[in-house]
Structure formats: C-alpha cells, structure tokens
C-alpha cells in the first residue's frame, strides 16, 4: 500500500513538472537586455566599450609604480598597508618607440593610473632576441593583475625554466596548460579574464581571485583560483586589499615590448 502511494505521488510530481515546461514562453527571459558593444575590427582590436591603456602613442595611462609589489608575504603586507597613502606619482620612465612600450631596465615597474577589479584584459608582448640569455633571465617581465597576481611574461620558446615560472604561468602557483609561446622577436598576446578576490569585513576570504587566460588564442589558465599574491619566496596567502587596484607591468631588467593594451571592466 505504501509503495503504491509513493508511486502515485511520483507520477503526480512528474506530471506537474511536465506541465511547467509545455509552454516554451514560460522559459523566455526578456530582461535585462545586454548593452550593445561594437566588436573590434580585427581579432585583438578593442571593442567599443574598452578602456585603451596603450595604443602605441604615449604613456598617458601609466605612471611609475610607487609601492611596487612584494617578493615575500611580509613585503606584500607592508605594500598593502601603504595603499591609498601615495600622494605624488612620478611619470612612467619607460620608452615608447615604433608603437611599442618598452621596459627601461632599472626604471622600475609601471602601473595603470586607473584601478581595476574584475577585468577582461588584452595585452600584446614581444620578447626580444637576446642571445646568451637563459631561463628566468630571457625576456622576463610580468602582468600583475590588481598589483598582486602575476601572469608571467618570459621567452619560453625553447628556453626551459621551472614550469610554474614559464610564460603564462601564474607565477609560482599555476603551470600553464600548454606552452603556446612564439619565438623571440615575434609578437604574441594574452587575453585574460580575471575575477577579483572577495573579502568579508573581518578579512576572511569569501571567494579567491580566479583567472582564465589565453596565450596566442590557446587556453593556458582555466579558471585557476589563486592561493594569494604571486610571490618569489615562500607560501602565498590572502591579505585583504581594496576592491580595485592598478595593473602593474614588471621591470625585470629585460627590454620586453608591449603594445595594444586594453581592458573592459566586468
Ligand atoms: Mg616576471
């Protein structure tokens, strides 16, 4: 008897569920309507709603990075403490030549004047041919999302190093899924979707930062959840920081070139 009651109940539930999907209009959602965006003319060219961070002309969107980034968690903590205290910035001292932004070794890192949280970023880079250089010393730079989370820029074409430090690695955290590097002297690009970490008021991590990235159109990071800032020495962990922070480009002493940099706030 109990079994037959259960069967009737199941059939009734199934019938009700079926009734809910007989009208196709019931599952049409009419709002919100996505805003119109005109895509770029060529692959990689900025869509109409992008913020242009470098179009080959000048460094108007950039400044010298006053605080830098930490190599160890203690340094990261010290830098994060100083966010919001800088009142005067120096000009970005890097070179602009032939439509490219070129690292000026010794000038230090540069950062965007604008701050970003969740972001889509397109950035093109070129590792110059530098005979005799090897490993981490061959065209090293980096793109630091939110000033703390570095996707490595390095010549990783026939140049071996530790894989979690090669091109497209989240430095010392996540090895890229594949090596999609082009030879030095050729332009290549990253398309990045970055989600900022979320912190509770008491500083606990509600959601870690995450990155999806394509290197020359090939998926290299698939929603990787970061363990904290990308540091040189030690084990990363989260320290609460502002919701939006500048994007930093690293000066690692190599004349890496950048061009066509644009972002879309998400
Ligand atoms: Mg680097």
């Amino acid at each position: 008897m109990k079994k037959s009651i259960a069967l009737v109940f199941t059939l009734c539930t199934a019938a009700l569920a079926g009734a809910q999907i007989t009208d196709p209009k019931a599952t049409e959602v009419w709002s919100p309507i996505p805003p119109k965006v005109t895509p770029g003319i060529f692959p990689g060219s900025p869509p109409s709603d992008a913020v242009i961070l470098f179009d080959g002309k000048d460094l108007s969107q950039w400044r010298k990075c006053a605080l830098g980034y930490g190599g160890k968690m203690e340094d990261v903590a010290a830098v994060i403490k100083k966010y919001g205290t800088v009142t005067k910035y120096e000009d970005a001292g890097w070179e602009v030549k032939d439509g490219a932004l070129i690292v000026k070794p010794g000038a230090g890192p540069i950062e965007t004047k604008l701050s970003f949280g969740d972001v889509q970023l397109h950035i093109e880079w070129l590792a110059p041919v530098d005979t005799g250089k090897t490993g981490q010393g061959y065209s090293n730079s980096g793109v630091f999302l939110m000033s703390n989370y570095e996707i490595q820029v390095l010549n990783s074409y026939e140049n071996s190093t530790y894989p979690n430090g090669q091109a497209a690695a989240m430095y010392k955290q996540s090895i890229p899924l594949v090596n999609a590097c082009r030879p030095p002297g050729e332009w290549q690009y990253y398309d990045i979707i970055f989600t900022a970490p979320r912190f509770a008021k008491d500083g606990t991590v509600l959601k870690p930062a995450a990155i999806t990235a394509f290197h020359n159109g090939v998926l290299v990071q698939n929603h990787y959840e970061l363990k904290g800032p990308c540091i040189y020495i030690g084990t990363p962990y989260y320290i609460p920081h502002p919701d939006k922070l500048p994007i930093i480009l690293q000066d690692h002493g190599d004349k890496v070139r950048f061009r066509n940099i644009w972002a879309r706030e998400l």
Side-chain angles (χ1 to χ4, degrees):
M1 184 64 189
K2 267 185 186 171
K3 265 189 185 171
S4 59
I5 292 171
L7 182 66
V8 169
F9 179 77
T10 306
L11 287 171
C12 287
T13 309
L16 277 172
Q20 283 172 348
I21 57 163
T22 53
D23 179 7
K25 287 195 184 303
T27 46
E28 290 176 0
V29 178
W30 281 78
S31 72
I33 295 167
K36 277 187 187 171
V37 170
T38 308
I41 297 169
F42 306 107
S45 59
S48 57
D49 63 347
V51 178
I52 309 299
L53 296 174
F54 181 68
D55 63 0
K57 294 189 189 105
D58 59 49
L59 284 166
S60 57
Q61 291 291 324
W62 299 83
R63 65 192 177 202
K64 187 179 167 72
C65 177
L67 299 173
Y69 45 84
K72 293 183 274 186
M73 283 311 300
E74 303 93 274
D75 310 328
V76 171
V79 169
I80 287 177
K81 240 183 201 171
K82 288 183 196 157
Y83 285 155
T85 63
V86 181
T87 50
K88 211 178 165 198
Y89 287 94
E90 289 176 49
D91 288 342
W94 292 13
E95 195 185 351
V96 176
K97 198 180 161 192
D98 302 328
L101 167 56
I102 310 169
V103 177
K104 191 172 181 189
I110 62 171
E111 67 181 14
T112 53
K113 291 178 182 173
L114 294 170
S115 288
F116 299 92
D118 296 353
V119 74
Q120 174 184 350
L121 179 71
H122 176 90
I123 185 162
E124 302 181 9
W125 57 275
L126 180 149
V129 175
D130 232 337
T131 315
K133 289 202 170 179
T134 57
Q136 291 287 305
Y138 199 154
S139 290
N140 195 330
S141 183
V143 181
F144 284 67
L145 286 312
M146 293 194 89
S147 304
N148 283 283
Y149 310 101
E150 181 192 9
I151 183 164
Q152 174 72 300
V153 170
L154 187 78
N155 168 37
S156 290
Y157 184 86
E158 295 176 356
N159 175 43
S160 70
T161 186
Y162 42 95
N164 65 350
Q166 73 178 63
M170 291 315 289
Y171 187 72
K172 291 218 169 153
Q173 290 195 39
S174 177
I175 295 170
L177 297 169
V178 292
N179 181 344
C181 231
R182 286 184 177 145
E186 289 186 21
W187 282 101
Q188 38 194 326
Y189 60 93
Y190 288 152
D191 279 299
I192 295 164
I193 299 153
F194 179 80
T195 311
R198 264 54 172 187
F199 301 103
K201 274 189 185 143
D202 66 1
T204 52
V205 180
L206 295 173
K207 220 169 105 180
I211 185 161
T212 294
F214 296 85
H215 185 186
N216 300 322
V218 184
L219 185 71
V220 282
Q221 299 289 345
N222 187 6
H223 195 78
Y224 174 71
E225 293 189 340
L226 287 124
K227 298 180 179 85
C230 294
I231 49 170
Y232 180 48
I233 301 168
T235 308
Y237 54 86
Y238 279 99
I239 298 174
H241 57 63
D243 295 343
K244 291 185 180 187
L245 287 165
I247 295 164
I248 295 177
L249 297 182
Q250 186 182 42
D251 167 17
H252 203 280
D254 300 313
K255 290 186 175 178
V256 175
R257 292 165 179 250
F258 294 94
R259 74 177 186 192
N260 190 22
I261 310 172
W262 53 262
R264 294 180 62 247
E265 284 197 84
L266 302 176

